[in-house]
Amino acid sequence: MATHIEEEAKEEADFASQVPRISEVCDEARKEFQNFFTSSPPGPKDLVIQSKELMTLLEHVAPMKTLRSLEVEHIYLLEPIMKTGGPLRYYLTRPEIAPMQHIVNHIKSDLNEKEQRMYHILFIPRVLALCEYILEREGVIGYVKRYSWNLNLIPLDDHLLSLEHPKTARALLLEGNYSILHLVASSLIDLEEKFGTIPTLHGKGNFSKKVMDMFIRMKKIKGLTEFQHPQKGLGVSEVILFDRSCDWITPLCSQLTYEGMLDDVFGIQSGFVEFSKEASGKGVPVKVLLNENDPVFSLIRSMHFSGVSEVLVTVSKELQRDYSHGRDKNKTIQEMKEFVKNLPQLRTKHDSLSTHLKASENIIRKKKEGDFQRQLSTEWTLLEGSNKVTAYDHIEESIEGQSNIYSSLQLLCLASVTADGIKEKYFHPFKSSFLHSYGHKHLVTFYHLQQVGLLKSKAKDDIISSKSLLKDDMAPFFQLQRLLKLVPKKPEDFNLKEPTDASYVFGGAYIPLSVSAIGSVVSTGGWSHIEGVVKNWEGSSFTHHQFKSVRNEQGRRRVILVYFVGGVTYSEVNTLRFMEQKLNVYFIIATTDIVNWKRLFDSFMEFEVT
Amino acid sequence: MATGMEEDQTEWNDGLSPPGKDLTISNFFDTDEKDVTGINVFDTKAMDHVMKEWRNDAHKYMKKKGGSKEVEEVKPEEMALQIGGTILSEGRRGRIKDDRSATDPPLPSQSLKETPRDRFVTSPPELRSVDQATPIVAMQRPVPSSIWTVPTIRETVDRILVDEPFVLEWYRTLDEKKGLLKEAISTHDGNTIITIVLFLRSTLSKAMFEALLLSYVEAAQHYCSFLRQNTAWEQLKNVYYVLGEERYAMLQYQLAHSNESINSRINAVEKCVRLLKDKSSLKNEQYYIEEYWNLLKRQQKMEEVRKALPPSSVNRFQSTPLLDSTLVTSLMYCCRFHINDQDPIVNPEVFKKDFKISEKQYFIVLLGSLCARRDWPAIDTILTPKSFSAKLGFGSKIKAPISLQRIIRIIGKKTYLADEDFLAKYIKQVDDLELRLELATKYQCYGVGIEVLKGFKDIDRLKTYFDQIPVEKQRKYRPALVKLFS
């Protein structure tokens, strides 16, 4: 028996050493970044960064220490006017128009004042025609050196890669701008170069299809037609591309895992969470990096929130024991040495513990302010599709009572997406009171949400009301919900602390549609076995074999890349990680950005919510 | 400003700063240029050949155009522009050197893996006259004349897709342009589509360009997204005008909000109202926009009334602007401060009528505003039914268009600091006992809770319930409990 366990452990360790190391994904980008600086003449340099988001992002690739070693003296945020700085200036920006105009202004004003400077612009991830168009039109292109910095996927964590391209859902769905798809396709090519050709591509959704087409076409143009083995270790055997627009439900639900709640309450930006002065309890805002290396966070990140406090208490007891053990006077010198050696570790653990204790306290307080329980139960009612009247009553009350605009939108959109539209006779009163409560400017928000399909008004049908009620039940989501068993039967006797079922991420009420479908594809090897699902789900479902799978060893754990086009939520990441064991696979999750309901709505609004 | 710039630029453009000078921008680029050329071994003979050919081409081109300029004066940069057309990136020009003919299969992948240095984009020092016979920078290898064979549309688009140099000016017929657009759309790459669209915009008349946009939705989307990013609102409006009234109107409406002054905003919104008049497809939107227009006008008048108020009535609304608040907030203001005011501008009843506010909505706002004023007797009055039977104790004891539970949720809001007795009065009205108990606990009306449990005759539960009550409140209920147990 013991040997069996040992064997398993060995196998596990063996596998762990073989999986693709995604932290290496941007090694080249790191080198490239250093080259930009080292190739120019020595001297102090100024780095002007487009936005705070990019600053945060940069910490993953080139932390402060690296920047110092590259002689970066000052770091500025890009602003319309900039008069300070030395003769060597580097701009770091995404290829967008607004920053170009600022840069043009800087150069023109410097020229005016006969200020001589060298300008470099690093574009993440590539120089776009329209940026050069602006520089050229304004006559400053000759003064600027422009580089593409091919930084696409950034490893935010052990399993998680992100392009960190904000507002992708808006660009793709509202504006119909596909620039991001190129980035997805080329990042896939880069991944293949690193981890070997991926034999099989699955996908769901029209944008995924477009990505695959572009991916194949680009590979052909570049002459990458040969099968390439991974540089070392295991290769990725499959990639599953998934469109956000195929599952709006999941990002509309309030998140309940610790990580998800942190994101909902504080907002996680490129893996960092910033606690305000009040929330940190230290009198200053605190920025914390959240990842697997955090000894406490790694324990609780994917847990349902109700179990978190228990774990935190256990950890604190352990810590106390360790400390008191250290203070024990009857110790040998050897033991003492051991303790001192572990001291830094204990300290990190201690810091981490206090951070997360404070954070969970804050979450509880925040959630108590609003009627969170009621919000949750309404969300679940809508997912279940049972008692619509109660749910609609709550939506109405939430809007009329001017409660949080995001919560109201969450419920409204959820009601619409689950039932494939809200009936006209409800829709118009909702819209009217929404505009009255939150301002008429949100007519634009409504219009945008309708355009992207998050809100829909269902025309009155002639059939008598009882039948049309039945019709609601026939909405595509409810079909999928039944086919994939997304809503478990008895959420009451569900053990949230030791879950057996992936629905725990939403309090036992719902398994994310996206993850459930991905699970089915992984276990059955394609879409053909879940025909019913495919039939009821809008957007193309496809499988494409680039090559016959080379190593198809039975029972061996496969490495699968799941790529979310348009964003992924932390809840989905947590669920996928939870399902790894059951499916006997290793997931790498890649995404264009990380979304939650708040960021999603923000991206569709033209006005800031006050 | 303009003259200063020109001066600077001339200084820049000579690009031949004396050696040994301190490091300046111009000589920095100069140094760098040598660096780039220094790496490459030039085949001067071949270069001469290329240059000759190029010059000839330019000659022909100039003649065709009827230009009388001496070719010798044409600087390579301009020439490239004239011959090759707009080469979007000058950096890319340096790379029209691939020695394979245009019909060659895919580009070698290594060309994409350039070092940052290769990506250097320079220009000023190149502006030397052709006479100097100095080879053009980065022309590393002899270029066969076949470089001038027109690549197929697909090849060109493929080049754009993988960031290779390309020339669009080959394609001059409308069919070719359409072909380019179609091919670009088939790549699904936004950058490629934008590149082609911008090329079409610069080479086609406005009418032709717009007609093309109309027939290629994706192209139009990308163009609009480009304009939106560029905040070129006027142009965007024009495009939307062509594409459809709905988006045009919504954009107008959205932009109306960017007017800071209330008067100009009212005018802008009025324009939208007129624009949408008699447009059946947006009847619903039109209604709300008109409502907003009326609201703004009303708020303006209300503001005047408020200014005339005595300064003694300082309140939350005195400091926050009424203008551009929401309809509900405006009504709330009326209810709070002008409930008995007969001035039709601020009288809440008139406001309700003018904006067709439903009884229910009005009631909710009124209730909220009374709570904010902590005017509990007034709340009792509006909630008490006036019918005779109710006075006798029959029928419902509460008169309201919303449920009792919801009333309790409103009056129980922490910010209103309602008295315990006041809340208890309404919680007692809840028929369902378990629910009553729950509400009593939630709103800390423990007296009601104890009553309920007393009715249950469940001593154990009562004891546990009592333990739940915060210590500072326990004292209040202890006598009642002691009496009960004895």
mmCIF file of all heavy atoms in Angstrom, chain B residues 368-404:
data_model
loop_
_atom_site.group_PDB
_atom_site.id
_atom_site.type_symbol
_atom_site.label_atom_id
_atom_site.label_comp_id
_atom_site.label_asym_id
_atom_site.label_seq_id
_atom_site.Cartn_x
_atom_site.Cartn_y
_atom_site.Cartn_z
ATOM 1 N N GLY B 368 -39.423 57.562 1.092
ATOM 2 C CA GLY B 368 -37.993 57.758 1.341
ATOM 3 C C GLY B 368 -37.703 59.166 1.833
ATOM 4 O O GLY B 368 -36.926 59.355 2.775
ATOM 5 N N SER B 369 -38.349 60.141 1.192
ATOM 6 C CA SER B 369 -38.040 61.517 1.577
ATOM 7 C C SER B 369 -38.577 61.833 2.973
ATOM 8 O O SER B 369 -37.962 62.572 3.737
ATOM 9 C CB SER B 369 -38.606 62.489 0.550
ATOM 10 O OG SER B 369 -40.003 62.403 0.539
ATOM 11 N N LEU B 370 -39.716 61.232 3.326
ATOM 12 C CA LEU B 370 -40.242 61.440 4.675
ATOM 13 C C LEU B 370 -39.321 60.808 5.714
ATOM 14 O O LEU B 370 -39.096 61.371 6.787
ATOM 15 C CB LEU B 370 -41.658 60.866 4.797
ATOM 16 C CG LEU B 370 -42.748 61.636 4.044
ATOM 17 C CD1 LEU B 370 -44.076 60.914 4.144
ATOM 18 C CD2 LEU B 370 -42.880 63.054 4.578
ATOM 19 N N CYS B 371 -38.790 59.642 5.365
ATOM 20 C CA CYS B 371 -37.841 58.988 6.277
ATOM 21 C C CYS B 371 -36.611 59.863 6.453
ATOM 22 O O CYS B 371 -36.101 60.017 7.566
ATOM 23 C CB CYS B 371 -37.402 57.642 5.719
ATOM 24 S SG CYS B 371 -38.637 56.380 5.837
ATOM 25 N N ALA B 372 -36.159 60.447 5.342
ATOM 26 C CA ALA B 372 -34.962 61.279 5.411
ATOM 27 C C ALA B 372 -35.212 62.492 6.303
ATOM 28 O O ALA B 372 -34.302 62.980 6.966
ATOM 29 C CB ALA B 372 -34.552 61.714 4.014
ATOM 30 N N ARG B 373 -36.466 62.951 6.291
ATOM 31 C CA ARG B 373 -36.805 64.084 7.165
ATOM 32 C C ARG B 373 -37.111 63.637 8.584
ATOM 33 O O ARG B 373 -37.353 64.440 9.473
ATOM 34 C CB ARG B 373 -38.027 64.813 6.599
ATOM 35 C CG ARG B 373 -37.616 65.939 5.693
ATOM 36 C CD ARG B 373 -38.728 66.680 5.051
ATOM 37 N NE ARG B 373 -40.032 66.658 5.688
ATOM 38 C CZ ARG B 373 -41.130 67.073 5.075
ATOM 39 N NH1 ARG B 373 -41.069 67.540 3.851
ATOM 40 N NH2 ARG B 373 -42.280 67.035 5.683
ATOM 41 N N ARG B 374 -37.177 62.339 8.755
ATOM 42 C CA ARG B 374 -37.522 61.690 10.031
ATOM 43 C C ARG B 374 -38.888 62.182 10.511
ATOM 44 O O ARG B 374 -39.120 62.416 11.691
ATOM 45 C CB ARG B 374 -36.430 61.932 11.076
ATOM 46 C CG ARG B 374 -35.042 61.624 10.535
ATOM 47 C CD ARG B 374 -34.002 61.450 11.617
ATOM 48 N NE ARG B 374 -34.238 60.242 12.400
ATOM 49 C CZ ARG B 374 -34.225 60.207 13.720
ATOM 50 N NH1 ARG B 374 -34.033 61.310 14.407
ATOM 51 N NH2 ARG B 374 -34.431 59.081 14.355
ATOM 52 N N ASP B 375 -39.773 62.305 9.572
ATOM 53 C CA ASP B 375 -41.116 62.784 9.874
ATOM 54 C C ASP B 375 -42.028 61.569 10.057
ATOM 55 O O ASP B 375 -42.801 61.212 9.169
ATOM 56 C CB ASP B 375 -41.582 63.672 8.710
ATOM 57 C CG ASP B 375 -42.851 64.423 9.052
ATOM 58 O OD1 ASP B 375 -43.453 64.104 10.101
ATOM 59 O OD2 ASP B 375 -43.235 65.305 8.274
ATOM 60 N N TRP B 376 -41.892 60.902 11.177
ATOM 61 C CA TRP B 376 -42.612 59.627 11.372
ATOM 62 C C TRP B 376 -44.133 59.795 11.379
ATOM 63 O O TRP B 376 -44.830 58.966 10.789
ATOM 64 C CB TRP B 376 -42.131 58.916 12.635
ATOM 65 C CG TRP B 376 -40.634 58.858 12.767
ATOM 66 C CD1 TRP B 376 -39.898 59.311 13.808
ATOM 67 C CD2 TRP B 376 -39.696 58.343 11.815
ATOM 68 N NE1 TRP B 376 -38.550 59.124 13.566
ATOM 69 C CE2 TRP B 376 -38.399 58.528 12.359
ATOM 70 C CE3 TRP B 376 -39.808 57.752 10.561
ATOM 71 C CZ2 TRP B 376 -37.243 58.157 11.704
ATOM 72 C CZ3 TRP B 376 -38.651 57.374 9.906
ATOM 73 C CH2 TRP B 376 -37.395 57.570 10.458
ATOM 74 N N PRO B 377 -44.670 60.840 12.027
ATOM 75 C CA PRO B 377 -46.137 60.963 12.009
ATOM 76 C C PRO B 377 -46.682 61.053 10.585
ATOM 77 O O PRO B 377 -47.718 60.458 10.274
ATOM 78 C CB PRO B 377 -46.394 62.269 12.765
ATOM 79 C CG PRO B 377 -45.173 62.513 13.565
ATOM 80 C CD PRO B 377 -44.042 61.882 12.860
ATOM 81 N N ALA B 378 -45.963 61.788 9.716
ATOM 82 C CA ALA B 378 -46.440 61.917 8.344
ATOM 83 C C ALA B 378 -46.478 60.567 7.660
ATOM 84 O O ALA B 378 -47.376 60.266 6.864
ATOM 85 C CB ALA B 378 -45.541 62.874 7.572
ATOM 86 N N ILE B 379 -45.508 59.722 7.974
ATOM 87 C CA ILE B 379 -45.490 58.380 7.375
ATOM 88 C C ILE B 379 -46.713 57.607 7.842
ATOM 89 O O ILE B 379 -47.389 56.945 7.054
ATOM 90 C CB ILE B 379 -44.191 57.635 7.740
ATOM 91 C CG1 ILE B 379 -43.005 58.370 7.118
ATOM 92 C CG2 ILE B 379 -44.243 56.201 7.250
ATOM 93 C CD1 ILE B 379 -41.661 57.821 7.478
ATOM 94 N N ASP B 380 -46.983 57.716 9.144
ATOM 95 C CA ASP B 380 -48.171 57.040 9.663
ATOM 96 C C ASP B 380 -49.410 57.489 8.894
ATOM 97 O O ASP B 380 -50.257 56.673 8.537
ATOM 98 C CB ASP B 380 -48.349 57.360 11.154
ATOM 99 C CG ASP B 380 -47.345 56.590 12.002
ATOM 100 O OD1 ASP B 380 -46.842 55.562 11.495
ATOM 101 O OD2 ASP B 380 -47.055 57.011 13.131
ATOM 102 N N THR B 381 -49.481 58.792 8.637
ATOM 103 C CA THR B 381 -50.658 59.317 7.946
ATOM 104 C C THR B 381 -50.787 58.719 6.548
ATOM 105 O O THR B 381 -51.864 58.279 6.166
ATOM 106 C CB THR B 381 -50.558 60.857 7.805
ATOM 107 O OG1 THR B 381 -49.939 61.374 8.974
ATOM 108 C CG2 THR B 381 -51.915 61.477 7.593
ATOM 109 N N ILE B 382 -49.681 58.711 5.802
ATOM 110 C CA ILE B 382 -49.857 58.218 4.418
ATOM 111 C C ILE B 382 -50.067 56.712 4.377
ATOM 112 O O ILE B 382 -50.605 56.186 3.409
ATOM 113 C CB ILE B 382 -48.696 58.618 3.472
ATOM 114 C CG1 ILE B 382 -47.368 57.995 3.924
ATOM 115 C CG2 ILE B 382 -48.579 60.116 3.311
ATOM 116 C CD1 ILE B 382 -46.356 57.974 2.789
ATOM 117 N N LEU B 383 -49.660 56.019 5.441
ATOM 118 C CA LEU B 383 -49.826 54.560 5.416
ATOM 119 C C LEU B 383 -51.163 54.103 5.977
ATOM 120 O O LEU B 383 -51.568 52.969 5.777
ATOM 121 C CB LEU B 383 -48.694 53.891 6.192
ATOM 122 C CG LEU B 383 -47.327 53.899 5.503
ATOM 123 C CD1 LEU B 383 -46.266 53.342 6.438
ATOM 124 C CD2 LEU B 383 -47.363 53.080 4.219
ATOM 125 N N THR B 384 -51.824 54.997 6.696
ATOM 126 C CA THR B 384 -53.085 54.588 7.313
ATOM 127 C C THR B 384 -54.238 54.751 6.324
ATOM 128 O O THR B 384 -54.405 55.830 5.743
ATOM 129 C CB THR B 384 -53.379 55.444 8.549
ATOM 130 O OG1 THR B 384 -52.189 55.584 9.291
ATOM 131 C CG2 THR B 384 -54.453 54.806 9.413
ATOM 132 N N PRO B 385 -55.002 53.701 6.134
ATOM 133 C CA PRO B 385 -56.122 53.811 5.205
ATOM 134 C C PRO B 385 -57.209 54.711 5.780
ATOM 135 O O PRO B 385 -57.389 54.787 6.994
ATOM 136 C CB PRO B 385 -56.603 52.371 5.060
ATOM 137 C CG PRO B 385 -56.089 51.668 6.253
ATOM 138 C CD PRO B 385 -54.870 52.380 6.718
ATOM 139 N N LYS B 386 -57.917 55.370 4.882
ATOM 140 C CA LYS B 386 -58.924 56.324 5.358
ATOM 141 C C LYS B 386 -60.337 55.749 5.324
ATOM 142 O O LYS B 386 -61.279 56.382 5.753
ATOM 143 C CB LYS B 386 -58.850 57.602 4.511
ATOM 144 C CG LYS B 386 -57.569 58.377 4.808
ATOM 145 C CD LYS B 386 -57.492 59.668 4.052
ATOM 146 C CE LYS B 386 -56.166 60.365 4.266
ATOM 147 N NZ LYS B 386 -55.034 59.660 3.617
ATOM 148 N N SER B 387 -60.442 54.558 4.772
ATOM 149 C CA SER B 387 -61.801 54.012 4.631
ATOM 150 C C SER B 387 -62.412 53.734 6.010
ATOM 151 O O SER B 387 -61.718 53.525 7.004
ATOM 152 C CB SER B 387 -61.754 52.732 3.805
ATOM 153 O OG SER B 387 -61.209 51.694 4.580
ATOM 154 N N PHE B 388 -63.708 53.704 6.036
ATOM 155 C CA PHE B 388 -64.438 53.553 7.282
ATOM 156 C C PHE B 388 -64.194 52.185 7.916
ATOM 157 O O PHE B 388 -63.933 52.058 9.103
ATOM 158 C CB PHE B 388 -65.926 53.774 7.001
ATOM 159 C CG PHE B 388 -66.754 53.794 8.250
ATOM 160 C CD1 PHE B 388 -66.575 54.823 9.184
ATOM 161 C CD2 PHE B 388 -67.714 52.815 8.509
ATOM 162 C CE1 PHE B 388 -67.323 54.856 10.341
ATOM 163 C CE2 PHE B 388 -68.452 52.844 9.671
ATOM 164 C CZ PHE B 388 -68.276 53.876 10.589
ATOM 165 N N SER B 389 -64.223 51.174 7.070
ATOM 166 C CA SER B 389 -64.072 49.807 7.595
ATOM 167 C C SER B 389 -62.692 49.628 8.230
ATOM 168 O O SER B 389 -62.551 48.952 9.252
ATOM 169 C CB SER B 389 -64.270 48.782 6.473
ATOM 170 O OG SER B 389 -63.299 48.959 5.487
ATOM 171 N N ALA B 390 -61.693 50.268 7.621
ATOM 172 C CA ALA B 390 -60.349 50.135 8.174
ATOM 173 C C ALA B 390 -60.278 50.784 9.542
ATOM 174 O O ALA B 390 -59.628 50.283 10.453
ATOM 175 C CB ALA B 390 -59.350 50.771 7.231
ATOM 176 N N LYS B 391 -60.995 51.914 9.674
ATOM 177 C CA LYS B 391 -60.989 52.602 10.959
ATOM 178 C C LYS B 391 -61.629 51.738 12.033
ATOM 179 O O LYS B 391 -61.267 51.787 13.202
ATOM 180 C CB LYS B 391 -61.732 53.935 10.836
ATOM 181 C CG LYS B 391 -60.799 55.034 10.336
ATOM 182 C CD LYS B 391 -61.521 56.354 10.226
ATOM 183 C CE LYS B 391 -60.625 57.367 9.532
ATOM 184 N NZ LYS B 391 -61.364 58.429 8.906
ATOM 185 N N LEU B 392 -62.560 50.942 11.613
ATOM 186 C CA LEU B 392 -63.227 50.045 12.574
ATOM 187 C C LEU B 392 -62.372 48.810 12.869
ATOM 188 O O LEU B 392 -62.702 48.011 13.700
ATOM 189 C CB LEU B 392 -64.579 49.602 12.024
ATOM 190 C CG LEU B 392 -65.671 50.674 12.066
ATOM 191 C CD1 LEU B 392 -66.926 50.120 11.429
ATOM 192 C CD2 LEU B 392 -65.946 51.110 13.495
ATOM 193 N N GLY B 393 -61.276 48.687 12.125
ATOM 194 C CA GLY B 393 -60.391 47.549 12.395
ATOM 195 C C GLY B 393 -60.590 46.380 11.457
ATOM 196 O O GLY B 393 -60.049 45.304 11.673
ATOM 197 N N PHE B 394 -61.350 46.560 10.431
ATOM 198 C CA PHE B 394 -61.507 45.474 9.460
ATOM 199 C C PHE B 394 -60.559 45.700 8.283
ATOM 200 O O PHE B 394 -60.131 46.823 8.041
ATOM 201 C CB PHE B 394 -62.939 45.414 8.918
ATOM 202 C CG PHE B 394 -63.951 45.197 9.996
ATOM 203 C CD1 PHE B 394 -64.896 46.173 10.301
ATOM 204 C CD2 PHE B 394 -63.958 44.008 10.723
ATOM 205 C CE1 PHE B 394 -65.815 45.985 11.296
ATOM 206 C CE2 PHE B 394 -64.899 43.821 11.734
ATOM 207 C CZ PHE B 394 -65.822 44.807 12.026
ATOM 208 N N GLY B 395 -60.336 44.681 7.565
ATOM 209 C CA GLY B 395 -59.547 44.782 6.333
ATOM 210 C C GLY B 395 -58.103 45.133 6.624
ATOM 211 O O GLY B 395 -57.635 45.044 7.768
ATOM 212 N N SER B 396 -57.429 45.542 5.567
ATOM 213 C CA SER B 396 -55.998 45.811 5.682
ATOM 214 C C SER B 396 -55.749 47.053 6.517
ATOM 215 O O SER B 396 -56.499 48.020 6.474
ATOM 216 C CB SER B 396 -55.421 46.006 4.283
ATOM 217 O OG SER B 396 -54.150 46.550 4.384
ATOM 218 N N LYS B 397 -54.711 46.992 7.323
ATOM 219 C CA LYS B 397 -54.404 48.119 8.198
ATOM 220 C C LYS B 397 -53.407 49.071 7.545
ATOM 221 O O LYS B 397 -53.064 50.091 8.106
ATOM 222 C CB LYS B 397 -53.842 47.609 9.513
ATOM 223 C CG LYS B 397 -54.934 47.001 10.381
ATOM 224 C CD LYS B 397 -54.354 46.486 11.680
ATOM 225 C CE LYS B 397 -55.407 45.703 12.426
ATOM 226 N NZ LYS B 397 -55.026 44.314 12.637
ATOM 227 N N ILE B 398 -52.902 48.664 6.396
ATOM 228 C CA ILE B 398 -51.900 49.469 5.708
ATOM 229 C C ILE B 398 -52.410 49.801 4.315
ATOM 230 O O ILE B 398 -52.955 48.940 3.626
ATOM 231 C CB ILE B 398 -50.585 48.667 5.559
ATOM 232 C CG1 ILE B 398 -50.019 48.314 6.928
ATOM 233 C CG2 ILE B 398 -49.563 49.434 4.742
ATOM 234 C CD1 ILE B 398 -49.368 49.432 7.655
ATOM 235 N N LYS B 399 -52.186 51.039 3.930
ATOM 236 C CA LYS B 399 -52.591 51.413 2.585
ATOM 237 C C LYS B 399 -51.321 51.799 1.812
ATOM 238 O O LYS B 399 -50.698 52.815 2.137
ATOM 239 C CB LYS B 399 -53.561 52.589 2.645
ATOM 240 C CG LYS B 399 -54.096 53.007 1.307
ATOM 241 C CD LYS B 399 -54.682 54.395 1.361
ATOM 242 C CE LYS B 399 -53.597 55.438 1.508
ATOM 243 N NZ LYS B 399 -54.049 56.819 1.311
ATOM 244 N N ALA B 400 -50.965 50.985 0.875
ATOM 245 C CA ALA B 400 -49.756 51.312 0.114
ATOM 246 C C ALA B 400 -49.725 50.507 -1.182
ATOM 247 O O ALA B 400 -50.236 49.384 -1.219
ATOM 248 C CB ALA B 400 -48.522 50.989 0.934
ATOM 249 N N PRO B 401 -49.145 51.074 -2.238
ATOM 250 C CA PRO B 401 -49.062 50.313 -3.493
ATOM 251 C C PRO B 401 -47.920 49.292 -3.493
ATOM 252 O O PRO B 401 -47.709 48.611 -4.488
ATOM 253 C CB PRO B 401 -48.821 51.413 -4.539
ATOM 254 C CG PRO B 401 -48.225 52.551 -3.801
ATOM 255 C CD PRO B 401 -48.656 52.449 -2.380
ATOM 256 N N ILE B 402 -47.166 49.217 -2.406
ATOM 257 C CA ILE B 402 -46.109 48.195 -2.350
ATOM 258 C C ILE B 402 -46.307 47.327 -1.132
ATOM 259 O O ILE B 402 -47.059 47.679 -0.218
ATOM 260 C CB ILE B 402 -44.690 48.829 -2.310
ATOM 261 C CG1 ILE B 402 -44.578 49.826 -1.168
ATOM 262 C CG2 ILE B 402 -44.343 49.497 -3.621
ATOM 263 C CD1 ILE B 402 -43.188 50.376 -0.958
ATOM 264 N N SER B 403 -45.612 46.195 -1.104
ATOM 265 C CA SER B 403 -45.841 45.230 -0.040
ATOM 266 C C SER B 403 -45.315 45.756 1.300
ATOM 267 O O SER B 403 -44.424 46.608 1.345
ATOM 268 C CB SER B 403 -45.152 43.918 -0.361
ATOM 269 O OG SER B 403 -43.756 44.102 -0.277
ATOM 270 N N LEU B 404 -45.883 45.228 2.358
ATOM 271 C CA LEU B 404 -45.506 45.648 3.709
ATOM 272 C C LEU B 404 -44.023 45.393 3.960
ATOM 273 O O LEU B 404 -43.313 46.214 4.536
ATOM 274 C CB LEU B 404 -46.362 44.887 4.727
ATOM 275 C CG LEU B 404 -46.058 45.155 6.196
ATOM 276 C CD1 LEU B 404 -46.253 46.620 6.517
ATOM 277 C CD2 LEU B 404 -46.943 44.297 7.084
#
